[in-house]
Amino acid sequence: MPEPTTVPGSGELFPVPESERSTGLMPSQLLRGAVALGHEILSPEPIGDDQIQPASLDLRLGEVAYRVRASFLPGARSRVRDKLEHLSMHKIDLTKGAVLERDCVYIVPLLEFLALRKRASAIANPKSSIGRLDVFARVITDHGTEFDRVRDGYKGPLYAEISPRAFSILVRSGSRLVQLRVRRGSPPFSDTALRRLHEELS
Protein backbone atom coordinates (compact mmCIF):
# COMPACT_ATOMS: atom_id res chain seq x y z
CA MET A 1 0.00 0.00 0.00
CA PRO A 2 1.56 3.34 -1.03
CA GLU A 3 2.52 5.85 1.65
CA PRO A 4 0.35 9.00 1.93
CA THR A 5 1.60 11.75 -0.33
CA THR A 6 2.92 14.83 1.41
CA VAL A 7 3.20 18.39 0.22
CA PRO A 8 6.73 18.76 -1.17
CA GLY A 9 9.18 20.08 1.38
CA SER A 10 6.69 20.19 4.24
CA GLY A 11 6.98 16.78 5.86
CA GLU A 12 3.22 16.96 6.61
CA LEU A 13 0.13 16.26 4.57
CA PHE A 14 -1.50 19.51 5.73
CA PRO A 15 1.22 21.81 7.10
CA VAL A 16 -0.18 24.23 9.68
CA PRO A 17 1.70 27.07 11.39
CA GLU A 18 2.16 26.53 15.11
CA SER A 19 -0.05 29.56 15.84
CA GLU A 20 -2.94 27.90 13.97
CA ARG A 21 -2.81 24.49 15.69
CA SER A 22 -5.56 25.43 18.14
CA THR A 23 -7.99 26.14 15.31
CA GLY A 24 -11.35 24.38 15.57
CA LEU A 25 -14.06 23.60 18.10
CA MET A 26 -12.99 23.42 21.72
CA PRO A 27 -13.28 19.80 22.96
CA SER A 28 -14.59 18.93 26.40
CA GLN A 29 -11.20 19.07 28.12
CA LEU A 30 -10.59 22.64 26.91
CA LEU A 31 -14.13 23.64 27.81
CA ARG A 32 -13.57 22.32 31.33
CA GLY A 33 -10.33 24.29 31.52
CA ALA A 34 -12.02 27.49 30.37
CA VAL A 35 -14.78 27.01 32.95
CA ALA A 36 -12.32 26.21 35.75
CA LEU A 37 -10.16 29.24 35.01
CA GLY A 38 -13.15 31.52 34.49
CA HIS A 39 -11.49 33.16 31.52
CA GLU A 40 -13.91 32.78 28.61
CA ILE A 41 -17.00 31.02 30.01
CA LEU A 42 -18.44 32.49 33.20
CA SER A 43 -21.54 32.27 35.36
CA PRO A 44 -22.74 33.55 38.74
CA GLU A 45 -23.87 29.96 39.41
CA PRO A 46 -21.32 27.10 39.30
CA ILE A 47 -21.22 25.38 35.94
CA GLY A 48 -21.81 21.65 36.40
CA ASP A 49 -19.56 19.05 34.83
CA ASP A 50 -22.66 17.42 33.32
CA GLN A 51 -23.24 20.59 31.26
CA ILE A 52 -20.07 19.86 29.29
CA GLN A 53 -20.52 17.58 26.28
CA PRO A 54 -17.75 16.26 23.95
CA ALA A 55 -17.61 19.56 22.00
CA SER A 56 -20.33 21.77 23.47
CA LEU A 57 -21.64 23.39 26.64
CA ASP A 58 -25.28 23.21 27.73
CA LEU A 59 -26.60 26.68 28.58
CA ARG A 60 -29.07 27.25 31.40
CA LEU A 61 -32.08 29.54 31.58
CA GLY A 62 -31.85 32.39 34.06
CA GLU A 63 -34.41 33.56 36.59
CA VAL A 64 -36.81 35.51 34.36
CA ALA A 65 -38.41 35.33 30.93
CA TYR A 66 -39.69 38.29 28.93
CA ARG A 67 -42.76 37.83 26.75
CA VAL A 68 -42.26 39.81 23.54
CA ARG A 69 -44.54 40.51 20.61
CA ALA A 70 -42.24 39.00 17.99
CA SER A 71 -38.76 37.70 17.34
CA PHE A 72 -36.02 40.34 17.00
CA LEU A 73 -32.29 40.92 16.68
CA PRO A 74 -30.80 43.89 18.55
CA GLY A 75 -28.65 45.08 15.65
CA ALA A 76 -25.05 46.27 15.66
CA ARG A 77 -25.73 49.35 17.81
CA SER A 78 -28.03 47.98 20.52
CA ARG A 79 -28.05 45.64 23.49
CA VAL A 80 -30.76 43.05 23.97
CA ARG A 81 -31.78 44.62 27.29
CA ASP A 82 -32.32 47.99 25.59
CA LYS A 83 -34.68 46.36 23.10
CA LEU A 84 -36.54 44.53 25.86
CA GLU A 85 -37.38 47.84 27.52
CA HIS A 86 -39.45 48.72 24.45
CA LEU A 87 -40.61 45.33 23.20
CA SER A 88 -41.40 43.23 26.29
CA MET A 89 -45.03 42.81 27.29
CA HIS A 90 -44.43 41.36 30.75
CA LYS A 91 -41.81 39.55 32.84
CA ILE A 92 -42.23 35.99 34.16
CA ASP A 93 -40.48 34.55 37.23
CA LEU A 94 -38.81 31.22 36.40
CA THR A 95 -37.32 30.44 39.81
CA LYS A 96 -40.23 28.17 40.79
CA GLY A 97 -41.15 27.11 37.28
CA ALA A 98 -43.50 28.76 34.79
CA VAL A 99 -45.46 27.87 31.68
CA LEU A 100 -44.32 29.26 28.32
CA GLU A 101 -47.37 29.25 26.12
CA ARG A 102 -47.66 27.80 22.65
CA ASP A 103 -47.03 30.19 19.73
CA CYS A 104 -45.71 32.93 22.01
CA VAL A 105 -42.16 34.34 21.91
CA TYR A 106 -40.00 34.72 25.02
CA ILE A 107 -36.53 36.11 25.64
CA VAL A 108 -34.66 34.57 28.59
CA PRO A 109 -31.28 35.82 29.88
CA LEU A 110 -29.01 32.80 30.30
CA LEU A 111 -26.92 32.07 33.38
CA GLU A 112 -23.73 31.76 31.34
CA PHE A 113 -21.97 34.70 29.74
CA LEU A 114 -18.81 34.98 27.66
CA ALA A 115 -15.51 36.82 27.60
CA LEU A 116 -14.03 35.37 24.42
CA ARG A 117 -10.47 35.99 23.41
CA LYS A 118 -9.35 37.34 20.08
CA ARG A 119 -9.86 34.77 17.30
CA ALA A 120 -12.50 32.96 19.37
CA SER A 121 -16.17 32.88 18.37
CA ALA A 122 -19.10 30.58 19.08
CA ILE A 123 -22.13 28.97 17.47
CA ALA A 124 -25.30 27.80 19.22
CA ASN A 125 -28.13 25.41 18.49
CA PRO A 126 -31.06 23.85 20.35
CA LYS A 127 -30.47 20.57 22.15
CA SER A 128 -31.80 17.65 20.11
CA SER A 129 -34.38 16.78 22.77
CA ILE A 130 -35.82 20.29 22.47
CA GLY A 131 -36.18 19.97 18.72
CA ARG A 132 -38.08 16.72 19.13
CA LEU A 133 -40.53 18.56 21.40
CA ASP A 134 -41.10 21.11 18.62
CA VAL A 135 -39.78 24.01 20.71
CA PHE A 136 -38.11 26.73 18.66
CA ALA A 137 -35.02 27.93 20.56
CA ARG A 138 -32.03 30.01 19.50
CA VAL A 139 -29.41 32.32 21.01
CA ILE A 140 -28.97 36.07 20.58
CA THR A 141 -26.28 38.44 21.87
CA ASP A 142 -25.83 42.14 22.44
CA HIS A 143 -25.11 43.98 19.17
CA GLY A 144 -25.97 40.78 17.33
CA THR A 145 -26.99 40.69 13.69
CA GLU A 146 -27.38 36.89 13.38
CA PHE A 147 -29.15 34.26 15.42
CA ASP A 148 -27.01 31.51 17.00
CA ARG A 149 -23.76 33.29 16.09
CA VAL A 150 -21.42 34.83 18.66
CA ARG A 151 -18.91 37.11 17.04
CA ASP A 152 -15.14 36.99 17.43
CA GLY A 153 -13.98 38.26 20.83
CA TYR A 154 -17.51 38.79 22.19
CA LYS A 155 -17.75 39.82 25.82
CA GLY A 156 -21.21 39.94 27.32
CA PRO A 157 -24.44 38.15 28.19
CA LEU A 158 -26.28 35.48 26.23
CA TYR A 159 -30.05 35.25 25.71
CA ALA A 160 -32.32 32.48 24.49
CA GLU A 161 -35.30 33.18 22.27
CA ILE A 162 -37.90 30.49 22.92
CA SER A 163 -41.17 29.80 21.13
CA PRO A 164 -43.11 26.55 21.82
CA ARG A 165 -44.76 25.38 18.61
CA ALA A 166 -46.81 22.27 19.36
CA PHE A 167 -47.90 22.81 22.98
CA SER A 168 -47.11 24.92 26.04
CA ILE A 169 -44.08 23.87 28.10
CA LEU A 170 -43.03 24.13 31.73
CA VAL A 171 -39.52 25.51 32.33
CA ARG A 172 -37.58 26.84 35.30
CA SER A 173 -34.31 28.55 36.02
CA GLY A 174 -31.57 26.08 35.16
CA SER A 175 -33.48 24.34 32.34
CA ARG A 176 -31.25 23.53 29.37
CA LEU A 177 -32.72 24.21 25.96
CA VAL A 178 -29.70 25.35 23.95
CA GLN A 179 -26.02 24.49 23.69
CA LEU A 180 -22.92 26.41 22.67
CA ARG A 181 -19.82 25.44 20.69
CA VAL A 182 -16.75 27.64 21.06
CA ARG A 183 -14.52 27.90 18.02
CA ARG A 184 -10.96 29.21 17.98
CA GLY A 185 -9.34 30.64 14.89
CA SER A 186 -10.48 29.93 11.37
CA PRO A 187 -9.57 26.95 9.18
CA PRO A 188 -6.23 27.60 7.43
CA PHE A 189 -7.56 25.94 4.26
CA SER A 190 -10.71 26.97 2.43
CA ASP A 191 -12.89 24.43 0.62
CA THR A 192 -11.46 25.68 -2.66
CA ALA A 193 -7.88 25.23 -1.46
CA LEU A 194 -8.61 21.71 -0.19
CA ARG A 195 -10.26 20.79 -3.49
CA ARG A 196 -7.24 22.09 -5.43
CA LEU A 197 -4.86 20.17 -3.17
CA HIS A 198 -6.88 16.99 -3.63
CA GLU A 199 -6.74 17.40 -7.41
CA GLU A 200 -2.97 17.94 -7.31
CA LEU A 201 -2.42 14.80 -5.20
CA SER A 202 -4.83 12.56 -7.16
Side-chain angles (χ1 to χ4, degrees), residues 8-56:
S10 70
E12 296 183 48
L13 183 59
F14 296 106
V16 180
E18 190 62 36
S19 61
E20 297 285 346
R21 291 187 185 276
S22 62
T23 293
L25 295 178
M26 289 177 64
S28 57
Q29 59 269 33
L30 291 184
L31 289 172
R32 286 190 180 90
V35 168
L37 293 172
H39 286 172
E40 295 182 272
I41 304 170
L42 307 98
S43 174
E45 301 288 338
I47 295 175
D49 191 64
D50 62 342
Q51 288 179 244
I52 300 173
Q53 309 303 326
S56 65

Side-chain angles (χ1 to χ4, degrees), residues 56-115:
S56 65
L57 174 73
D58 292 347
L59 303 176
R60 299 167 295 176
L61 302 185
E63 297 181 350
V64 297
Y66 297 87
R67 167 80 185 278
V68 294
R69 292 179 176 83
S71 173
F72 70 88
L73 282 167
R77 298 185 179 182
S78 300
R79 300 180 304 170
V80 174
R81 194 164 297 278
D82 296 334
K83 293 289 186 180
L84 287 174
E85 291 180 3
H86 302 287
L87 299 175
S88 66
M89 300 167 64
H90 57 267
K91 185 165 66 172
I92 302 167
D93 183 2
L94 299 183
T95 56
K96 296 181 180 179
V99 173
L100 303 186
E101 297 187 13
R102 175 187 173 188
D103 292 332
C104 295
V105 181
Y106 301 87
I107 303 295
V108 183
L110 298 172
L111 290 177
E112 291 74 25
F113 60 98
L114 300 178

Side-chain angles (χ1 to χ4, degrees), residues 7 13-14 189 192-202:
V7 178
L13 183 59
F14 296 106
F189 293 96
T192 302
L194 287 173
R195 192 177 301 112
R196 187 182 303 118
L197 180 62
H198 176 75
E199 291 171 354
E200 290 173 358
L201 297 178
S202 295

Side-chain angles (χ1 to χ4, degrees), residues 1-6:
M1 179 177 179
E3 293 294 322
T5 305
T6 59

